[in-house]
Amino acid sequence: EDAGEARALYEQVRILCWVMTGPRTLETKARHVRATWARHCNVALFMSSEADERFPAVGLPVQEGRHQLYWKTIRAFQYVHRHHLGQADWFLKADDDTFLVAANLRWLLAGHSPERPIYFGKRFKPFVKQGYMSGGAGYVLSKEALRRFVAAFASRACTHTSAVEDLALGQCLEKVGVEAGDSRDTWGRETFHPFPPESHLTDKFSQSFWYWSYCYYPIVEGPQCCSDLSVSFHYVSGEQMYALEYLTHRLRPYGYRPRYRP
Amino acid sequence: MISESSSFVKGVVLGGAFCVVVTLLGHIKVGHGTKAHHHEHHHIQAPNKEDVLNLSEGERMELSKSIRVYCIVLVKPKDLGHWAAVKETWSKHCDKVEFYSSENVKVFESVALNTNDMWAMMRKAYKITYERYKDEFNWFFLAYPTTFAIIENLKYFLLKKDPSQPFYIGHTVKSGDLEYVDGEGGIVLSIESLRRLSRVLEDSDKCPEQGGMIWKLAEDKQLAICLKYTGVFAENAEDSEGKDVFNTKSVGALIKEAMSTHPQQVVDGCCSDMAITFSGLAPNHMHVMMYGVYRLRPYGHTYNDALVFLPPTGSDND
């Protein structure tokens, strides 16, 4: 096996992953993230409302709960900006039930400069002109985007407008000139996914399901829903984290030449 | 006193006769009349990485094409959902796959065996397979519709094994004296084993159609008994770390077990990197496996594999 290109990208496209978690799910969910995909990030941080030296988890000055989600996000990005800015080029937020493939995120970002104000994720279309990124599927800010976000709060160009973290963030980023990027692969297939693989591959979403009216790009159900080089899936249980880690990084069909070879 | 002892003797004789009758009817003759090998367990390993370097692209394609696997999937109408999933997923990677069903089903093409009994189905399927395909394939893989198989990994596993030798490979289980391949994990026979099997299937003493009058043995055990008479023994397939490559459980079930037995090493301890089968899968899970095995991967890794397999035509989920 030759992992040369993966290793080169690891050095060139540095990713800091911060995982939204909390005291109640640290050991039940975040633990499995720590044991699996977090290891592939250049830097991995676990953001909670309570510091935990052993885990380790950062204690942010917020309360737990959906109504505090945007505050937690703001504080987390401020923390990362203050303590870790020099350690990475791109800054990803994920939930503790998001599964991530860091190598594919690096491939996606390799062609973009971190000095460009841009962010990527699963793009939704309502409410924000250029669209915004689904929180659960994970989103990643360039270094410049992070700088602008933090500066916007310092100057009060952006304030805490609502608890709906992904939407509020999307609105702020649009305001400060951060571009909503197109994260699809070279065949136009999505890479960030707001549901687990099984849902995207096998479910037929009902026409009245909100998802149909939210997606920025046309929805594809079945095998073409998802890129071979997918970056994320959401609503992934602890057990599924390990299963996905095994299927992605360990099990492979010997000698098989895939159809998609970008 | 004489009448008491003669009753006693009669009792002993009657009891002995009954015992013999029960034994004959139950066909518990394993180990008698065969030259028993004194192996406790048969293990068989995957090729080494070093075995396979330094081949040209042309040589690799030739080598890959020389291993031809025919897949038999035993199905019943009640398995329609699983049958569809198998048809749409992994079975496309067999050199040829045929579904052998208990009865004709309108929706799908199959070889109708006109019997519901699993052992009878298995016998017929193997017989038909040998008659029709003995000159076209060198390896024969039998699976149930709840199994997912990675044929490329099967071919790699068989890379240095001579099909003119009697191989009978899978996930083995010991039941008393008998070591057999668990059907759930998939059963691999070389052409030589299939040849010997097709002959012994005609022998109603050694390999009867009725498993036994008192109690029926499962078809995978029956198969092992018949093969044993021909000198073919089950071997458990393992990778270089000793991990099973044929699994009778799903990835999810094996991960769950690993989470409780060695929570610090779940992925490392769970399953082989070159696993061939998983079982107990629902139809949806087959589609997830297809994506997870053949498509989802981390960018930036290349491999120097001895074999080359191209995606099948007319497919888009691999």
Side-chain angles (χ1 to χ4, degrees):
Chain A
E1 181 185 336
D2 180 8
E5 207 178 345
R7 252 183 281 120
L9 281 178
Y10 184 89
E11 304 299 331
Q12 288 157 20
V13 186
R14 297 172 306 162
I15 303 182
L16 179 147
C17 305
W18 71 262
V19 181
M20 176 100 80
T21 184
R24 272 178 308 128
T25 53
L26 207 59
E27 288 301 330
T28 54
K29 290 188 173 184
R31 183 159 71 98
H32 307 305
V33 168
R34 187 187 62 189
T36 57
W37 62 260
R39 300 169 307 147
H40 305 294
C41 303
N42 297 72
V43 180
L45 300 170
F46 293 87
M47 299 294 187
S48 172
S49 58
E50 245 174 64
D52 185 318
E53 246 185 64
R54 203 193 32 85
F55 192 86
V58 174
L60 298 170
V62 295
Q63 288 164 4
E64 290 300 325
R66 286 195 77 82
H67 63 290
Q68 291 274 293
L69 267 181
Y70 191 36
W71 272 123
K72 210 168 180 182
T73 305
I74 296 162
R75 295 295 180 228
F77 276 123
Q78 286 170 333
Y79 177 92
V80 164
H81 180 270
R82 166 181 267 143
H83 300 284
H84 297 278
L85 195 64
Q87 289 171 18
D89 309 301
W90 298 85
F91 302 84
L92 171 113
K93 174 260 173 183
D95 287 346
D96 55 13
D97 59 352
T98 306
F99 178 78
L100 186 86
V101 187
N104 294 344
L105 181 57
R106 289 191 186 91
W107 172 75
L108 177 74
L109 299 174
H112 299 272
S113 165
E115 297 307 320
R116 188 169 159 212
I118 192 169
Y119 78 127
F120 294 93
K122 165 70 181 184
R123 203 165 170 187
F124 282 158
K125 69 175 180 237
F127 315 123
V128 184
K129 188 145 172 271
Q130 66 166 0
Y132 67 98
M133 308 305 173
S134 152
Y139 48 75
V140 61
L141 275 60
S142 66
K143 184 175 286 201
E144 178 57 24
L146 174 61
R147 281 197 200 106
R148 290 194 188 191
F149 181 71
V150 171
F153 272 86
S155 73
R156 295 187 64 78
C158 290
T159 56
H160 181 277
T161 46
S162 94
V164 185
E165 157 245 342
D166 47 11
L167 173 55
L169 182 107
Q171 285 166 331
C172 173
L173 289 180
E174 180 172 75
K175 200 165 185 193
V176 297
V178 173
E179 183 191 339
D182 180 352
S183 57
R184 294 174 300 173
D185 72 11
T186 55
W187 284 6
R189 297 180 300 192
E190 296 270 13
T191 56
F192 288 78
H193 305 285
F195 296 108
E198 187 173 345
S199 303
H200 290 285
L201 292 166
T202 65
D203 280 352
K204 305 253 171 284
F205 297 118
S206 119
Q207 289 297 325
S208 59
F209 190 45
W210 60 264
Y211 189 57
W212 288 100
S213 55
Y214 267 56
C215 290
Y216 193 92
Y217 305 111
I219 292 181
V220 180
E221 289 174 314
Q224 299 310 314
C225 64
C226 313
S227 176
D228 287 19
L229 301 178
S230 281
V231 174
S232 72
F233 291 96
H234 187 214
Y235 297 120
V236 174
S237 70
E239 171 203 313
Q240 284 169 343
M241 294 277 174
Y242 297 107
L244 285 170
E245 183 82 1
Y246 169 69
L247 291 175
T248 308
H249 292 93
R250 306 293 287 265
L251 181 63
R252 69 179 185 97
Y254 188 83
Y256 186 69
R257 181 121 53 95
R259 287 180 201 278
Y260 184 61
R261 290 180 301 143
Chain B
M1 261 200 319
I2 293 174
S3 62
E4 277 171 359
S5 59
S6 78
S7 304
F8 175 72
V9 169
K10 271 185 210 160
V12 169
V13 170
L14 211 61
F18 183 71
C19 189
V20 169
V21 167
V22 167
T23 304
L24 285 173
L25 289 174
H27 283 291
I28 307 180
K29 292 194 283 182
V30 170
H32 293 254
T34 62
K35 291 176 178 34
H37 289 239
H38 292 288
H39 306 285
E40 276 314 307
H41 268 285
H42 298 78
H43 301 267
I44 190 168
Q45 279 220 336
N48 268 319
K49 295 192 171 108
E50 298 75 40
D51 292 339
V52 296
L53 301 172
N54 305 322
L55 292 172
S56 74
E57 170 94 358
E59 280 168 335
R60 289 169 203 227
M61 296 242 45
E62 278 310 301
L63 188 54
S64 309
K65 291 199 190 127
S66 72
I67 310 167
R68 288 179 51 77
V69 175
Y70 174 82
C71 298
I72 298 168
V73 186
L74 293 181
V75 291
K76 292 183 175 172
K78 66 175 173 65
D79 305 320
L80 223 47
H82 288 87
W83 183 343
V86 170
K87 218 165 129 62
E88 290 161 24
T89 61
W90 64 264
S91 66
K92 291 186 279 189
H93 292 241
C94 302
D95 290 287
K96 188 176 174 70
V97 58
E98 276 185 299
F99 295 86
Y100 287 76
S101 58
S102 50
E103 63 196 70
N104 209 340
V105 169
K106 259 185 258 162
V107 207
F108 295 128
E109 226 177 84
S110 65
V111 179
L113 300 170
N114 303 316
T115 171
N116 224 335
D117 176 72
M118 285 303 290
W119 172 230
M121 283 179 73
M122 194 179 268
R123 290 173 58 99
K124 271 192 172 178
Y126 275 129
K127 252 197 215 157
I128 293 170
T129 295
Y130 182 70
E131 278 160 27
R132 292 184 187 168
Y133 300 114
K134 59 182 182 299
D135 298 319
E136 288 181 51
F137 301 94
N138 38 30
W139 295 97
F140 300 84
F141 174 65
L142 183 144
Y144 300 148
T146 48
T147 300
F148 184 92
I150 306 167
I151 300 300
E152 290 79 7
N153 289 350
L154 174 58
K155 290 186 174 185
Y156 176 57
F157 187 82
L158 299 174
L159 182 52
K160 304 200 82 199
K161 295 177 180 46
D162 179 1
S164 68
Q165 293 299 307
F167 286 104
Y168 165 40
I169 302 169
H171 180 109
T172 60
V173 177
K174 265 219 136 187
S175 175
D177 245 347
L178 180 71
E179 190 166 0
Y180 67 97
V181 170
D182 189 333
E184 280 295 325
I187 305 172
V188 178
L189 295 180
S190 61
I191 179 63
E192 175 59 21
S193 294
L194 185 60
R195 191 183 66 78
R196 296 189 192 187
L197 176 64
S198 69
R199 246 211 314 212
V200 79
L201 284 172
E202 304 303 324
D203 187 332
S204 53
D205 284 324
K206 294 185 177 143
C207 193
E209 272 192 51
Q210 299 307 114
M213 296 206 180
I214 305 292
W215 57 83
K216 242 194 202 172
L217 283 180
E219 69 281 1
D220 46 5
K221 285 190 180 137
Q222 296 280 8
L223 180 68
I225 292 169
C226 294
L227 283 171
K228 205 166 173 180
Y229 276 115
T230 71
V232 179
F233 299 92
E235 290 178 288
N236 191 60
E238 293 155 17
D239 66 13
S240 53
E241 293 170 16
K243 286 185 185 156
D244 286 338
V245 291
F246 291 86
N247 295 289
T248 54
K249 300 177 186 171
S250 63
V251 173
L254 291 165
I255 291 283
K256 264 211 184 96
E257 279 177 21
M259 282 172 81
S260 72
T261 52
H262 34 87
Q264 302 305 325
Q265 301 269 47
V266 177
V267 175
D268 281 326
C270 156
C271 319
S272 175
D273 289 5
M274 44 174 301
I276 296 172
T277 58
F278 292 98
S279 198
L281 295 169
N284 273 359
H285 297 160
M286 300 238 181
H287 292 282
V288 178
M289 285 297 288
M290 205 64 188
Y291 176 71
V293 171
Y294 287 99
R295 297 177 52 208
L296 182 63
R297 61 191 182 275
Y299 183 81
H301 299 255
T302 55
Y303 300 91
N304 187 28
D305 291 339
L307 301 173
V308 180
F309 299 111
L310 300 179
T313 51
S315 180
D316 79 335
N317 59 358
D318 49 21

